[in-house]
Amino acid sequence: MAQPSQTALAPSPVRGEDREDRLVVIVRGAGRGVDGRFEVSCRAGRGSHPDVAGACRAVERNTRWGRDTFGPVPEGSVCTMRYGGPATARVTGWWAGRPVDATFDRGNGCEIERWDRFVPLLPVPRDDAR
């Protein structure tokens, strides 16, 4: 019986950007002091985000095997006609070895709920933003 070669057992190469989960968050219209560009590196526990640990916990609690952590509200969802203000956010980078490019707003009840699941990665909008 033939022995498997050592090369067959070697792990596939890891690209540099896949080595560390790193997210960039750009927030606009959420209010003075919470708008801006923030970086979060969860495994390293560092970044320019005002609450790196809390931001990482928010992403972790929304991560489910086989599902897009940052996926949009499913098409056909029934959402309340609530307006949560002008805040928008874009999250880009890498999470769980997958590329991330997600946008958030607070235009209806479903979008507000989606945003709120990611607090404090995404900030609680301030009253001065409305």
Side-chain angles (χ1 to χ4, degrees):
M1 184 173 217
Q3 294 292 328
S5 71
Q6 289 292 23
T7 15
L9 299 176
S12 59
V14 176
R15 299 178 310 179
E17 62 267 31
D18 291 339
R19 289 188 186 130
E20 183 178 319
D21 293 332
R22 181 177 171 273
L23 301 171
V24 175
V25 181
I26 299 172
V27 180
R28 292 192 174 106
R32 196 171 339 146
V34 292
D35 284 356
R37 181 183 186 280
F38 309 100
E39 295 185 19
V40 177
S41 293
C42 289
R43 291 199 177 135
R46 66 175 185 261
S48 59
H49 192 283
D51 182 1
V52 172
C56 292
R57 281 192 302 274
V59 177
E60 286 286 348
R61 80 172 163 258
N62 283 286
T63 301
R64 302 284 181 277
W65 178 256
R67 295 180 67 192
D68 182 358
T69 302
F70 298 93
V73 172
E75 282 193 41
S77 295
V78 178
C79 305
T80 60
M81 297 297 292
R82 228 172 59 185
Y83 179 64
T88 62
R90 183 169 184 195
V91 179
T92 58
W94 288 88
W95 181 256
R98 299 179 72 180
V100 174
D101 189 353
T103 57
F104 293 79
D105 66 47
R106 297 178 62 81
N108 64 46
C110 295
E111 294 294 347
I112 293 168
E113 181 182 323
R114 179 175 173 245
W115 179 295
D116 289 350
R117 283 196 323 261
F118 284 94
V119 169
L121 176 71
L122 303 179
V124 173
R126 295 174 46 111
D127 288 336
D128 63 5
R130 293 184 185 183

